[in-house]
Amino acid sequence: MKQTTIAKRVEGIGIGLHKGEPIRIVLDPLEADDGIVFYRKDLMTTIKAKPQSVINTQMATVIGNEKGYISTIEHLLSAISGYGIDNIKIILDANEVPVMDGSSIGFCMMLDEAGVVNLEAEKQIMIIKKEIEIKNGDKFVKISPSKNPKFNYTIKFNHPIIGTQNYLFEFSKQNYIKEIARARTFGFLKDVQALRAKNLALGGSLENAVVMDDNSILNPEGLRFEDEFVRHKILDAIGDLALMGMPIFGDYESYAGSHELNHLLTLEILSDAKNYEIVKLNQKEALEYAKVFS
């Protein structure tokens, strides 16, 4: 099975969630083994998408270096992972990825326009060798060995619209597009007001997030899925794990997880070579796995 990139350059414009300003985004093909690379055109600095580049996880996953940072990368990385893309360059002229409609479907549309092509080098897969868990009180994320990656996520919010939700997602490109990609980020009106008082979330609106007051959803169109909230948490988790730079053969499970716990999980996996094995699939395995991205 071969590594992949996109067939051609594509570009778009969207609003930044925090600054509320238009951001131009360009997706470019890359050669084999280049990985996922972000480029801040305004600062002329490159930031590799990897766990060691993460500098903040408070409200989004943020990567950076001594020259600058890029925020809210998880939705784009989620789409890239869903499409099985190994090598791609993301060019931005601001310090965040545009929020689009609050989901990853806009990025999926860009990837559909670009197309996906094989490169000459063999695709590498990370095989999880033993269960690894990160806990914070009753909250946890964990990953365990599996040949058919799944995401089993549970959330619990003291809100009449959300409550307790669970979703089990079996990873494949088509399942991702159908079940996960359209799930939007969400927040509460009182939190949005507090953020705006700090000059944050200036680009947030009912056009790019599900917003709730104490009792109801403010978006006139309502939800895209009855359990859209937990599906978006899976979308985020896929994006956070994409920082590993290759597909992961492991089952992910979480209760009330977060970007921070996901980040700590990636670091813990990499902390001991006994936790994982990086392999190239044999011909039979490769044919089976290729169906995941068909």
Side-chain angles (χ1 to χ4, degrees):
M1 189 173 181
K2 302 297 185 180
Q3 291 185 32
T4 60
T5 188
I6 55 175
K8 66 176 183 179
R9 166 181 281 215
V10 292
E11 57 185 85
I13 295 178
I15 297 296
L17 178 61
H18 290 304
K19 298 300 182 183
E21 298 172 351
I23 297 170
R24 182 170 180 259
I25 178 171
V26 178
L27 305 181
D28 259 350
L30 280 183
E31 296 298 322
D33 299 319
D34 282 344
I36 302 171
V37 176
F38 286 83
Y39 180 71
R40 281 281 303 270
K41 188 175 181 179
D42 54 326
L43 299 179
M44 294 188 293
T45 188
T46 297
I47 307 172
K48 181 89 171 183
K50 58 182 181 179
Q52 296 86 347
S53 297
V54 175
I55 60 172
N56 194 308
T57 55
Q58 188 173 4
M59 297 195 313
T61 299
V62 184
I63 57 174
N65 57 28
E66 66 281 357
K67 292 185 178 180
Y69 67 91
I70 300 171
S71 178
T72 324
I73 64 171
E74 59 272 13
H75 299 171
L76 173 57
L77 289 184
S78 185
I80 290 169
S81 178
Y83 277 59
I85 295 169
D86 303 292
N87 307 282
I88 190 169
K89 185 176 184 179
I90 301 120
I91 303 169
L92 300 161
D93 59 3
N95 60 14
E96 56 183 323
V97 176
V99 67
M100 311 303 269
D101 73 343
S103 75
S104 66
I105 193 66
F107 299 122
C108 292
M109 293 170 68
M110 291 182 71
L111 295 175
D112 284 336
E113 180 184 349
V116 180
V117 294
N118 289 335
L119 299 167
E120 286 302 314
E122 296 294 324
K123 184 186 285 283
Q124 292 185 319
I125 306 289
M126 176 176 282
I127 307 290
I128 298 298
K129 303 294 287 184
K130 62 181 182 179
E131 183 177 291
I132 302 164
E133 183 175 19
I134 303 293
K135 299 187 72 175
N136 180 8
D138 63 345
K139 302 175 182 179
F140 73 85
V141 297
K142 68 180 177 181
I143 197 162
S144 53
S146 174
K147 290 185 177 180
N148 301 293
K150 294 178 289 293
F151 287 76
N152 188 354
Y153 212 118
T154 303
I155 60 173
K156 185 177 182 179
F157 282 81
N158 185 24
H159 191 280
I161 301 297
I162 306 177
T164 299
Q165 295 184 359
N166 171 264
Y167 197 80
L168 178 62
F169 170 67
E170 185 169 343
F171 189 89
S172 76
K173 177 182 176 181
Q174 292 306 317
N175 287 351
Y176 179 83
I177 294 169
K178 180 181 177 181
E179 301 175 29
I180 302 298
R182 294 176 60 247
R184 295 162 293 176
T185 191
F186 60 93
F188 302 96
L189 183 61
K190 58 185 178 181
D191 295 333
V192 173
Q193 292 168 335
L195 288 169
R196 286 185 172 174
K198 300 177 183 178
N199 284 323
L200 296 172
L202 299 179
S205 72
L206 299 181
E207 301 296 321
N208 53 43
V210 178
V211 182
M212 291 160 285
D213 60 17
D214 291 339
N215 300 296
S216 61
I217 295 171
L218 301 183
N219 304 64
E221 76 280 9
L223 296 174
R224 294 175 176 176
F225 307 96
E226 183 179 356
D227 51 3
E228 186 169 357
F229 308 100
V230 70
R231 292 185 193 225
H232 184 79
K233 289 293 188 177
I234 291 175
L235 186 156
D236 280 345
I238 292 170
D240 287 340
L241 293 187
L243 285 164
M244 299 296 272
M246 65 189 73
I248 301 173
F249 273 24
D251 283 344
Y252 171 98
E253 184 178 354
S254 176
Y255 174 77
S258 64
H259 295 304
E260 175 67 12
L261 291 180
N262 290 336
H263 174 52
L264 293 176
L265 179 64
T266 62
L267 293 179
E268 184 63 25
I269 292 171
L270 295 174
S271 69
D272 188 343
K274 295 179 181 178
N275 291 336
Y276 64 92
E277 181 182 6
I278 296 175
V279 304
K280 296 175 181 177
L281 302 180
N282 63 42
Q283 187 174 12
K284 182 179 178 181
E285 291 171 329
L287 287 172
E288 287 297 314
Y289 189 55
K291 296 176 183 177
V292 170
F293 296 107
S294 62

